[in-house]
Amino acid sequence: MEQIPVFKPLIENDEIQAAVASLELGWLGMGGYVGEFEKELKNFIGSDDRHVVAVNTGHSALHLSMMLIGLKPGDEVITPSFNNIADFQAILATGAEPVLCDIREDTLCIDIAKAEALVGPKTRAVIAMDYDCCLADHDAVADFASRHNLRVIHDAAHSLGSYYNNKKIGSFSDICIFSFDPVKTITCIDGGAIVVKTQEEVEALHEMRLIGMGQPASVMYGNQRAWTYDVKRLGFRYHMANLHGAIGLSQLAKMSKITTSRQMACKMYNEMLADIPEVRTPLSTFEDVTPFLYYIRIPAEKRQPLRDYLKEHGIDTGIHWQPGHWFSLLQNVRRGDLSVTERVGNEILSLPLHSVMDGNAQQHIIKTIQEFFNV
Ligand SMILES: Cc1ncc(COP(=O)(O)O)c(C=O)c1O
């Protein structure tokens, strides 16, 4: 039997046609498709007062966000330890230091009550990362940031299409970033975006994503470039390429199909696994979220045996994530009490969730988990 992968991108004829059209255009760098992708993403987020800048990965979106707020060596950024490596690396790339905070037991997102104890004279920003279907308490984050005069970087790599208190993700944060990597809810093969509030920020990001070149985006979106320009600031080669923008556009167009399928699959998992006492499922009705992954929590000593059992039955599983404070790189960074993160890091397990989930495959996964737990 073929293994059921944890992630499986939805690549259909539309994406293939879009890729062919963008290649046939002959303008392979940043061009019209990227401009169009930014426009459609802004429409999708549905906020007139926000601007979207597309880049080549979620990691570069984070790095540029850190640069945009002017982080420098010696500064500190509070981040959940339960986060993607990209967040820690983006902070470190500016010379600043991550400060590791615990997460809440219910949402697996940053515990703002615990973040209070971590604020110091060098704190400049806080990262609010939405973990899958569970969103951070963004009101509490905004209040915390305003009381301590901090910038907020909202890592929404998992939450494109979700709503927080009836507000679309991307429409209300100080700075918000998305990822469109190969396994995300929608993919550009690789891609990312930064959502900001001011034109000044947009212009700085346009330069920073193009190794500092002052090339007007309006010219590049006409599939042209200027040969003379000024370079005013540090930058990296982080722009999105036309091929990736074209694929992203066809993925965005099928967001509602992707959302419905993922919601249905998650509801099915929650319902069918509810009777297994040792399995904890996400605390979500999945009504107003587009879930990126489906996780369960099981007793730490059962996790590897369950993974092995599922593997024997053709089912792959994932671990999102090993907490940051387990990595050698972060041994010496400042941290608070991380007891919830420590526990969750040992219990968390991702089950397969695809953009169009095959019902038979899902029944096989559920049945195999029930067998393992003898229910
Ligand atoms: C929460 C989070 N932030 C950032 C990233 C980085 O995005 P990318 O893989 O596009 O660099 C990821 C990637 O998985 C992620 O899960």
Side-chain angles (χ1 to χ4, degrees):
M1 193 205 321
E2 233 178 71
Q3 286 290 119
I4 303 172
V6 181
F7 298 120
K8 191 168 156 191
L10 179 68
I11 298 298
E12 298 177 310
N13 199 32
D14 309 320
E15 284 75 12
I16 293 165
Q17 291 309 315
V20 169
S22 78
L23 292 173
E24 283 178 350
L25 176 72
W27 184 269
L28 299 183
M30 190 171 69
Y33 285 107
V34 176
E36 204 52 34
F37 179 67
E38 287 176 345
K39 204 165 95 200
E40 287 306 316
L41 188 56
K42 179 179 159 80
N43 285 344
F44 179 77
I45 291 166
S47 174
D48 289 340
D49 62 352
R50 289 294 192 281
H51 308 275
V52 174
V53 177
V55 288
N56 61 351
T57 61
H59 171 253
S60 61
L62 284 163
H63 184 200
L64 294 188
S65 303
M66 306 292 167
M67 287 171 64
L68 189 66
I69 63 172
L71 281 188
K72 54 184 190 324
D75 289 345
E76 291 183 343
V77 177
I78 298 175
T79 168
S81 177
F82 193 62
N83 201 348
N84 190 277
I85 302 158
D87 294 65
F88 310 128
Q89 293 285 17
I91 299 167
L92 291 169
T94 65
E97 288 265 303
V99 174
L100 304 178
C101 186
D102 211 359
I103 50 171
R104 281 170 47 163
E105 188 75 52
D106 53 354
T107 62
L108 308 187
C109 295
I110 192 163
D111 186 336
I112 283 297
K114 287 190 177 174
E116 292 286 351
L118 297 174
V119 179
K122 299 177 189 165
T123 315
R124 299 284 169 266
V126 57
I127 295 183
M129 188 268 305
D130 296 324
Y131 184 75
D132 176 37
C133 58
C134 306
L135 306 180
D137 184 347
H138 291 289
D139 288 343
V141 171
D143 174 64
F144 168 75
S146 110
R147 277 186 290 105
H148 297 290
N149 198 21
L150 309 177
R151 297 296 300 263
V152 178
I153 294 173
H154 175 184
D155 183 339
H158 292 194
S159 52
L160 179 77
S162 296
Y163 289 82
Y164 171 78
N165 287 348
N166 297 321
K167 289 178 287 188
K168 196 91 166 261
I169 293 293
S171 69
F172 57 85
S173 308
D174 181 2
I175 297 177
C176 183
I177 74 99
F178 294 108
S179 156
F180 309 108
D181 75 15
V183 303
K184 283 296 177 302
T185 304
I186 65 164
T187 184
C188 292
I189 308 305
D190 258 320
I194 308 153
V195 185
V196 289
K197 285 190 279 201
T198 68
Q199 199 55 44
E200 206 184 328
E201 289 170 311
V202 171
E203 274 153 32
L205 288 169
H206 280 175
E207 291 179 5
M208 288 193 285
R209 73 175 171 181
L210 265 183
I211 47 174
M213 290 191 287
Q215 294 258 5
S218 57
V219 173
M220 299 210 74
Y221 294 163
N223 301 325
Q224 289 176 24
R225 56 164 296 173
W227 290 105
T228 54
Y229 42 80
D230 192 15
V231 177
K232 296 193 294 247
R233 61 178 91 237
L234 181 65
F236 293 85
R237 197 163 161 79
Y238 278 169
H239 62 274
M240 178 180 271
N242 244 357
L243 169 65
H244 296 209
I247 293 171
L249 274 169
S250 48
Q251 290 266 290
L252 252 187
K254 45 184 81 159
M255 242 337 245
S256 73
K257 166 169 142 183
I258 289 173
T259 298
T260 308
S261 169
R262 286 176 176 263
Q263 283 175 333
M264 276 171 52
C266 289
K267 285 180 192 175
M268 175 69 76
Y269 271 136
N270 259 23
E271 194 183 312
M272 302 296 286
L273 299 176
D275 294 337
I276 310 177
E278 287 172 289
V279 174
R280 286 169 72 177
T281 56
L283 295 172
S284 176
T285 58
F286 301 102
E287 289 302 335
D288 52 1
V289 290
T290 302
F292 158 58
L293 53 80
Y294 184 83
Y295 73 86
I296 55 174
R297 289 173 61 186
I298 49 170
E301 68 283 4
K302 295 270 173 81
R303 183 168 72 175
Q304 196 51 41
L306 174 61
R307 296 193 71 206
D308 293 343
Y309 188 76
L310 290 170
K311 187 93 183 162
E312 279 163 30
H313 290 78
I315 302 157
D316 279 342
T317 54
I319 294 176
H320 298 90
W321 296 288
Q322 301 174 84
H325 68 276
W326 292 2
F327 295 124
S328 311
L329 181 70
L330 301 178
Q331 276 325 293
N332 298 325
V333 306
R334 211 155 69 73
R335 68 202 57 195
D337 164 48
L338 295 173
S339 49
V340 179
T341 308
E342 187 67 22
R343 191 163 56 246
V344 171
N346 285 301
E347 295 176 350
I348 202 93
L349 184 69
S350 304
L351 301 180
L353 179 68
H354 308 156
S355 275
V356 173
M357 190 80 194
D358 172 344
N360 290 333
Q362 194 180 10
Q363 287 311 319
H364 173 60
I365 297 162
I366 291 166
K367 194 169 77 37
T368 311
I369 297 172
Q370 289 167 336
E371 273 168 20
F372 177 85
F373 286 106
N374 294 317
V375 293

